[in-house]
DNA sequence: CGGCGCACCTGAGTGC
DNA sequence: TGCACTCAGGTGCGCC
């Protein structure tokens, strides 16, 4: 979504100056690399892998940005006042500034130098999971990834090494749509249930993207809100509310230290086999 | 190795 | 009004 908002603005722009703050995000901001590899370069394209944005520069360097939980990217007139928690500013050759604001600093900024970008990206990408919006995201593939495991299916969906880009909100929504109890151990899921998950996942994510649908005007001067702000959620944060399907009260529990919601009636666990 | 618990961080919300 | 406390979520580390 952020990528879609930035796409009309960044490619073919040159970065004329980079400024960054002292406070580390997940990692310290690599100022020296930003100066050496990013400053002065033209932005060629923007890609996404898992929840990481990849800004590909004309010198083959890649600026890798993760928004964490509270991170937002926005385009602002260069002269506009900085805000609290602005950590990175890329001044472009049209007097707009791309700013990364992240109050909780769970995000990250990384630079893959042009000379090593290819191998660093290969390493990076090979340690990430299946992309839900790409071909190959099938029930069969998911079942294969879960082979030999017995963790709760919700934890599995949120494990970024297996499946990319599914956070707590969407894991809850996907399992509701697939009518599967979030605590079900993955080794107990049958092929049909994996297909349900494989089908529901892109639907939920696309709905979120559509709901968030950042337009050009949304993006200028402010930064977009995450899709779920406008997405109709069925179970997430809805403890006690009636299930949209059967009106049973939604229940809340915890899995892997994360709040978990489900409909006890629609998402009954399969009997142990 | 698999799986779990937890830390990281700030702001919003709640209760007294 | 103000303070203390809890909780939220993405990711990776450390421990069993």
């Amino acid at each position: 979504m952020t990528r879609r908002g930035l796409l009309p603005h960044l490619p073919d722009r040159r970065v004329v100056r980079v400024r960054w703050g002292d406070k580390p995000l997940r990692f310290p901001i690599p100022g020296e690399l930003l100066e050496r590899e990013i400053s002065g370069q033209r932005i060629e394209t923007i890609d996404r892998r898992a929840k990481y944005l990849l800004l590909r520069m004309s010198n083959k360097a890649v600026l890798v940005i993760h928004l964490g939980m509270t991170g937002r990217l926005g385009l602002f007139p260069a002269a506009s006042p900085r805000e609290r928690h602005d950590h990175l500013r890329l001044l472009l050759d049209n007097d707009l500034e791309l700013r990364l604001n992240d109050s909780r600093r769970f995000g990250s900024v990384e630079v893959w130098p042009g000379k090593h970008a290819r191998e660093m990206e290969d390493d990076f990408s090979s340690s990430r999971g299946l992309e839900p919006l790409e071909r190959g995201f099938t029930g069969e593939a998911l079942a294969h990834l879960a082979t030999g495991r017995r963790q709760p299916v919700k934890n599995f969906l949120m494990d970024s090494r297996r499946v990319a880009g599914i956070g707590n909100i969407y894991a809850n929504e996907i399992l509701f749509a697939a009518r599967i109890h979030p605590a079900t151990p993955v080794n107990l899921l049958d092929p049909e249930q994996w297909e349900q998950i494989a089908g529901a996942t892109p639907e939920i994510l696309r709905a979120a993207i559509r709901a968030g649908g950042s337009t050009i005007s949304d993006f200028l001067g402010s930064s977009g809100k995450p899709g779920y702000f406008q997405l109709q959620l069925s179970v997430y944060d809805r403890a006690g509310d009636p299930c949209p399907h059967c009106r049973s009260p939604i229940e809340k529990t915890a899995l892997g230290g994360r709040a978990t919601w489900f409909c006890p009636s629609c998402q009954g666990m399969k009997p142990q086999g």
Side-chain angles (χ1 to χ4, degrees):
Chain A
M1 195 175 75
T2 296
R3 175 177 166 271
R4 288 153 55 112
L6 291 173
L7 221 34
H9 298 287
L10 295 192
D12 288 334
R13 295 260 75 102
R14 205 168 54 85
V15 176
V16 301
R17 194 187 65 191
V18 183
R19 289 288 185 268
W20 62 93
D22 291 334
K23 285 195 171 181
L25 306 182
R26 285 186 64 81
F27 319 105
I29 295 175
E32 203 173 311
L33 282 175
L34 286 168
E35 288 284 17
R36 201 169 71 219
E37 301 282 335
I38 305 299
S39 189
Q41 299 297 320
R42 190 169 48 83
I43 299 170
E44 288 197 333
T45 57
I46 313 171
D47 289 323
R48 180 192 59 76
R49 176 74 172 100
K51 290 184 175 173
Y52 296 80
L53 275 177
L54 311 180
L55 275 61
R56 301 189 190 279
M57 315 301 291
S58 44
N59 61 349
K60 303 304 169 199
V62 184
L63 176 58
V64 185
I65 295 177
H66 192 287
L67 297 180
M69 294 182 42
T70 49
R72 293 171 307 154
L73 281 169
L75 274 171
F76 303 83
S80 65
R82 300 174 54 184
E83 282 182 33
R84 187 166 153 79
H85 304 308
D86 279 349
H87 297 291
L88 177 66
R89 296 178 293 143
L90 303 188
L91 178 61
L92 307 177
D93 58 2
N94 59 353
D95 264 341
L96 289 179
E97 212 167 46
L98 178 68
R99 296 179 178 174
L100 172 63
N101 184 284
D102 186 359
S103 60
R104 293 179 67 178
R105 294 193 274 128
F106 279 14
S108 63
V109 172
E110 207 180 333
V111 174
W112 298 335
K115 203 189 286 184
H116 306 291
R118 180 69 71 84
E119 51 200 281
M120 291 178 85
E121 179 164 355
D122 286 348
D123 283 354
F124 171 81
S125 202
S126 65
S127 59
R128 312 284 136 187
L130 213 54
E131 288 286 345
L133 298 183
E134 288 178 7
R135 279 190 302 280
F137 193 81
T138 63
E140 207 175 341
L142 290 172
H144 179 69
L145 285 169
T147 303
R149 296 165 208 286
R150 9 186 88 231
Q151 72 196 129
V153 62
K154 176 164 177 271
N155 299 25
F156 171 80
L157 288 178
M158 292 177 66
D159 183 344
S160 61
R161 291 163 307 176
R162 315 287 161 201
V163 184
I166 299 180
N168 196 32
I169 292 167
Y170 300 130
N172 281 290
E173 295 296 312
I174 288 163
L175 290 171
F176 174 75
R179 311 251 182 154
I180 294 168
H181 193 291
T184 312
V186 287
N187 58 312
L188 298 187
L189 293 174
D190 63 32
E192 189 190 334
Q193 290 177 305
W194 282 117
E195 286 302 332
Q196 291 292 317
I197 293 172
T201 299
E203 280 178 26
I204 297 282
L205 294 182
R206 285 188 203 286
I209 291 169
R210 240 182 291 123
S214 42
T215 64
I216 293 175
S217 56
D218 280 344
F219 220 82
L220 272 173
S222 71
S223 29
K225 291 182 157 110
Y228 59 81
F229 267 77
Q230 283 137 74
L231 185 68
Q232 183 68 20
L233 298 176
S234 297
V235 291
Y236 179 84
D237 200 20
R238 285 191 168 277
D241 287 4
C243 165
H245 285 141
C246 76
R247 318 304 291 171
S248 300
I250 298 301
E251 286 186 12
K252 180 184 181 182
T253 178
L255 272 177
R258 284 291 183 258
T260 302
W261 292 264
F262 64 99
C263 170
S265 169
C266 294
Q267 298 169 265
M269 224 186 303
K270 284 193 69 176
Q272 303 277 324

